[in-house]
Structure formats: structure tokens, C-alpha cells
Amino acid sequence: FPGMLSNPRLMSVQRTLNVVMNQNVSLSCHSESGSPPVRYTLFKRNQKVSTSNRPDLTPGLFNLTINFASDVGEYKCKAENNISSGGKYSNSLNFTLIEPVSKPVLSSPTAQAKKGQNVTLSCLSENGSLPITYIFFKGRRNISPPLKMRKREAAVIFLFINSSSDFGTYKCRAENSFRNNTKYSNSFNFTLAEERSRSQPLIISLVLILLLFVIALAIPFFVIPSYKASE
């Protein structure tokens, strides 16, 4: 049918569907063919949001502000003219709300370690849009590949305490798709666990044996005089 509108295309003017809270966004709804004038209507979950009337085949523009998490729901638009009965509907569009990562917490089940011991470090940001990528550092040197976590759970690495240098300062870094927002954790240091000397039990045993020997030698000096005095 001459003059009938083509199905419109709905797209983000910013060319990204990642948004943050309180961000202004623009949507474009456009039928490339058909007879003008054209009336474009924007819907969010089948509820009318706004209308744009165009005297020609230029796109209808809709300006929105993402104020709530519910504002990132499904959007569609409808194009109508005097020929198309019932109008034509576009593709659906969904925004993704991006939240910056919070400062991650670096921790370990044990704060004390000794040489030859295996230990673990865990890094977790409690807030921030998933996935979150973590990297572990010792000093300024990274000691792990990027660990991308798609669930709200800590990234964990395993370490082997081999020398005194392994008791240095550790940190981790967290980042997600929110631009220019990389967060570093607190510092964490393992402390050297005090090892009991191997000779310590032997020394204690020798002291006890000596004490018993002294007591055994002293008994005759107390028992015999008391026995004679009683006769």
C-alpha cells in the first residue's frame, strides 16, 4: 500500500544502553518510509510515556531521566499516519542500570602465618553492578589475572608463604562497566606466627627430672630425723 509506514526503529541517541541513576537519555523512533505526517508514541511496559508529531519523515525524539530503577524497563514506540491502520510498532529496548563499585574489602581467614603455609585472600565489593573484575596486588605488583565475578561473591586467590618477603602488604582492586571508577581495598599484612622452639619441650622435661631428683635426695634428710625423734 503506497504511503504505509514501515516498522519504526527505536534506538538510544547515546548509542549505549548502560545508564546511571539521574542520567538524562534520549530515544529516537524512526520509520524510514511512509507518508507524513507521522505521530510517534513512546511506551514503557505498554503504558504511554510521550508523543511526538513530525510533519516529515524525520525521527521522533523522546527525552527521559532515569530517576528510579523501574525507569530501565522495556520501551517500545508506535508510528502512525493517516494510512496505516492501528500503527506500526518498533523493536523493544531495555536500559541497564550501572552502579559504581564500592570500596572492596580484602580479608583472610587467618591473620598469622608461618613459612611453608598455604593461605587465602578474598576480595569483595558489596555494592556495584555485576560483573565485577578483581585484581590482587602485593605492593605495586599484580599477583593474579583479572578475575571476573558474575555473582555477588568474593574473588579468592591461594598463596604459599615461602619466605619473609611474602609477609608484605597486599591489596586488591575492583572495577565494573561504570567508567572511570576503579576502587582499591584496604591493605592487608600477614604477621609471622611465633613457632615454639623444638628444644623447648626437652628443656621442660629436663627441669622436671632434675626437680624430682632433688626432691628424692631431700626426702632422707627429713624423714630419718623425724623417725629417730619418735623412738
Side-chain angles (χ1 to χ4, degrees), residues 9-188:
R9 182 187 178 193
L10 182 64
M11 60 181 295
S12 169
V13 176
Q14 289 79 18
R15 299 186 180 278
T16 177
L17 296 179
N18 293 332
V19 295
V20 298
M21 201 66 76
N22 301 318
Q23 180 179 340
N24 295 319
V25 295
S26 296
L27 295 178
S28 168
C29 185
H30 185 214
S31 287
E32 295 183 350
S33 63
S35 298
V38 183
R39 182 171 68 255
Y40 294 104
T41 305
L42 182 68
F43 295 88
K44 183 173 77 69
R45 296 195 183 99
N46 299 321
Q47 292 186 348
K48 181 179 176 180
V49 176
S50 184
T51 299
S52 175
N53 295 304
R54 305 302 304 165
D56 47 28
L57 288 179
T58 55
L61 296 178
F62 302 95
N63 297 315
L64 307 171
T65 301
I66 306 299
N67 291 317
F68 307 98
S70 59
D71 292 333
V72 298
E74 181 186 55
Y75 287 88
K76 282 188 176 183
C77 70
K78 182 174 71 171
E80 300 172 279
N81 64 2
N82 296 327
I83 299 175
S84 300
S85 175
K88 294 292 184 70
Y89 285 87
S90 73
N91 55 295
S92 61
L93 203 65
N94 283 277
F95 289 107
T96 300
L97 185 63
I98 300 299
E99 181 186 7
V101 294
S102 58
K103 180 179 179 179
V105 175
L106 182 64
S107 61
S108 175
T110 177
Q112 291 187 333
K114 56 187 178 181
K115 294 180 182 179
Q117 181 178 344
N118 292 308
V119 294
T120 61
L121 282 174
S122 62
C123 184
L124 175 64
S125 287
E126 294 187 352
N127 297 300
S129 302
L130 299 171
I132 298 177
T133 300
Y134 298 95
I135 298 179
F136 291 81
F137 295 85
K138 181 179 177 295
R140 296 184 179 182
R141 179 175 60 88
N142 63 304
I143 57 173
S144 77
L147 303 174
K148 181 175 287 189
M149 309 303 293
R150 301 186 181 277
K151 295 181 180 180
R152 187 73 61 188
E153 57 187 18
V156 179
I157 63 170
F158 299 89
L159 302 173
F160 179 70
I161 303 299
N162 190 44
S163 64
S164 299
S165 62
D166 294 327
F167 291 92
T169 301
Y170 293 87
K171 280 191 175 184
C172 68
R173 186 180 75 192
E175 59 187 4
N176 60 5
S177 56
F178 193 95
R179 294 183 177 179
N180 302 320
N181 185 70
T182 298
K183 295 291 180 65
Y184 285 86
S185 72
N186 54 293
S187 299
F188 187 91

